[in-house]
Amino acid sequence: MNVPAVSELAPPTRLLLGPGPSMVHPRVLRAMATPLLGHLDPRFLELMTEVQAQLRAVFRTENPFTIAVSGTGSAGMEAALVNLLEPGDAAIVVAAGVFGNRMADIVGRCGARAVKLEVPWGQVCDPARIEEALAREGKVKLVAIVHAETSTGAEQPIAGLGELCHRRGALLVVDTVTSLGGVPVEVDAWEADAVYSGTQKCLSCPPGLSPLTLSPRALEAVKARRTKVQSWYLDVGLVADYWAEGKRVYHHTAPISMIYALRESLRLVLEEGLEARFARHRRHSAALVAGLAALGCTPQAQEGHRLSSLSCVRAPAGVDEGAVRRALLADHDIEIGGGLGPLAGRVWRIGLMGESARQENVLAVLAAIEQALAKQGKAPRPGAAVSAALEAYAKT
Ligand SMILES: *Cc1c(COP(=O)(O)O)cnc(C)c1O
């Protein structure tokens, strides 16, 4: 057999300003290079307990069941849904973009009936529609909704939804993958029952874990199941026995280095303070959007509901948006995202998540986009975007 000639790992140094992963702090990278402990080592079990307390603080919850699921954000989505749904159940799913549709797909795979509330991409769902659907559909097990829809840049208001669901005997499941650590997430104040996130967005940790918190009400629903959870790996009943203090029963080997990384990234989040972090995301996204507006880019998300962690803007008319993204990567080592589904070829998605949300990154990406547009003869006055951003910064 031939030994493949694989060179030493030396990837280019990119500035990650796409929809994730985001930039990772050197402290987190160092944590990942720390020697391993066994996954049942008493010191490792302590580290897990620390991570649980940190996660409760960022989720703003008292839920005892707060863990990091092994796997990326989609694993958290799947864990929330497969544990709560049984064949024959009904679930209302707000489908306002890619990730709402992914939830509906998983609902169907659980053998449950997905009642999709379709929302035009970039808009948010009026809670009155959810209330109507709950009244109309009879017995509904849960309502699933995305807080920060990364495919459109829209931020869905969640406050009040938990109470609305509970009045009708339904649970509330919320995707906070692109909001946790960047945009206010209030698990207890929302009365949300299952909330998951991902490590590689506003928490600025590599992809690989999915924070998940379940309310006591959600755990009761899991306990009351008539059937086994279809997924052995994501069965929270089994996983809980590994995370629960005093139990610590082997289920699967925890990804040790990822837990180290998450612990360090959460230390950074909490050192900065949640409110300061949210304000930082708002400040830099306002400057970015002002700069993009000077280039003729208008936001896809409806006014008043624009995410600060991810800006989705329409590329200026007549511009080859893919050529601009390729030029950013080739000439500037900057990654931004393109559109998904119906927005493919029409929008740019620029993430300012966690470590990526910095003034130098905003100015760099604006200057780079302007230069790429100039190549297509589509740039306005040179420096227009950067000066619009600087004016926005001067106001804050
Ligand atoms: C990125 C993302 C996910 C999926 O996370 P992966 O880490 O890619 O599995 C789910 N929901 C939303 C809103 C996301 O932005």
Side-chain angles (χ1 to χ4, degrees):
M1 249 218 311
N2 283 333
V3 176
V6 176
S7 62
E8 189 179 344
L9 182 66
T13 305
R14 307 286 203 207
L15 178 57
L16 298 174
L17 302 180
S22 56
M23 298 302 283
V24 175
H25 195 283
R27 267 171 55 186
V28 175
L29 296 175
R30 277 200 300 276
M32 295 189 82
T34 304
L36 301 197
L37 288 167
H39 67 105
L40 294 171
D41 186 296
R43 180 57 188 136
F44 185 68
L45 300 179
E46 280 170 17
L47 296 179
M48 289 170 70
T49 305
E50 290 167 3
V51 168
Q52 290 183 286
Q54 291 174 301
L55 285 175
R56 286 185 199 104
V58 296
F59 269 132
R60 288 180 161 159
T61 184
E62 303 285 335
N63 287 340
F65 187 98
T66 302
I67 68 163
V69 174
S70 303
T72 63
S74 305
M77 181 189 289
E78 190 135 17
L81 294 171
V82 299
N83 281 282
L84 294 176
L85 291 172
E86 291 187 81
D89 284 344
I92 293 170
V93 184
V94 175
V98 165
F99 295 102
N101 281 297
R102 186 175 294 179
M103 287 173 126
D105 185 353
I106 297 174
V107 167
R109 287 161 191 256
C110 295
R113 181 170 64 93
V115 179
K116 268 210 226 183
L117 303 183
E118 300 273 359
V119 176
W121 287 34
Q123 308 277 306
V124 297
C125 185
D126 181 351
R129 279 188 69 192
I130 299 172
E131 194 155 24
E132 254 168 48
L134 280 167
R136 183 181 66 228
E137 296 295 330
K139 199 164 164 36
V140 169
K141 188 72 167 285
L142 58 85
V143 170
I145 194 162
V146 177
H147 180 218
E149 190 34 273
T150 320
S151 59
T152 68
E155 180 180 344
Q156 171 72 46
I158 305 292
L161 289 186
E163 205 241 313
L164 189 155
C165 291
H166 296 158
R167 247 190 287 131
R168 297 277 179 179
L171 299 166
L172 176 64
V173 177
V174 186
D175 176 317
T176 63
V177 176
T178 291
S179 46
L180 191 70
V183 175
V185 168
E186 299 281 353
V187 171
D188 285 0
W190 290 344
E191 296 183 38
D193 298 295
V195 181
Y196 60 86
S197 189
T199 44
Q200 81 273 31
K201 308 219 176 165
C202 299
L203 297 177
S204 268
C205 182
L209 288 173
S210 178
L212 170 69
T213 185
L214 297 179
S215 71
R217 201 187 297 248
L219 289 174
E220 268 169 44
V222 175
K223 224 182 263 161
R225 290 180 66 101
R226 287 161 284 115
T227 56
K228 269 192 177 182
V229 175
Q230 74 188 61
S231 165
W232 178 87
Y233 196 76
L234 297 174
D235 183 328
V236 297
L238 303 176
V239 174
D241 286 347
Y242 177 45
W243 283 85
E245 270 184 274
K247 284 202 178 168
R248 304 298 193 176
V249 181
Y250 166 67
H251 175 251
H252 67 272
T253 309
I256 310 290
S257 308
M258 278 309 304
I259 298 278
Y260 289 173
L262 177 58
R263 181 177 178 278
E264 195 58 28
S265 68
L266 292 170
R267 258 164 50 85
L268 284 159
V269 169
L270 295 168
E271 274 173 22
E272 179 175 8
L274 288 172
E275 293 304 332
R277 201 168 167 96
F278 302 150
R280 174 162 65 80
H281 281 76
R282 284 194 298 271
R283 176 163 190 262
H284 295 298
S285 92
L288 173 70
V289 170
L292 290 167
L295 296 175
C297 302
T298 52
Q300 176 69 25
Q302 94 187 67
E303 172 96 62
H305 296 284
R306 291 176 190 152
L307 262 178
S308 60
S309 49
L310 183 114
S311 298
C312 179
V313 296
R314 299 183 195 105
V319 163
D320 177 352
E321 72 79 22
V324 170
R325 283 187 292 122
R326 285 190 295 277
L328 257 54
L329 200 62
D331 303 340
H332 303 272
D333 276 316
I334 297 176
E335 176 181 279
I336 65 169
L340 299 174
L343 299 181
R346 297 171 49 197
V347 299
W348 289 318
R349 291 183 303 143
I350 305 181
L352 294 176
M353 303 180 187
E355 288 302 310
S356 298
R358 311 229 164 262
Q359 176 169 284
E360 59 269 31
N361 299 343
V362 171
L363 300 180
V365 73
L366 288 171
I369 293 174
E370 191 168 295
Q371 192 184 65
L373 287 176
K375 276 193 199 163
Q376 296 185 31
K378 300 283 184 190
R381 176 176 59 82
V386 169
S387 54
L390 289 174
E391 271 170 42
Y393 277 124
K395 285 188 214 145
T396 57

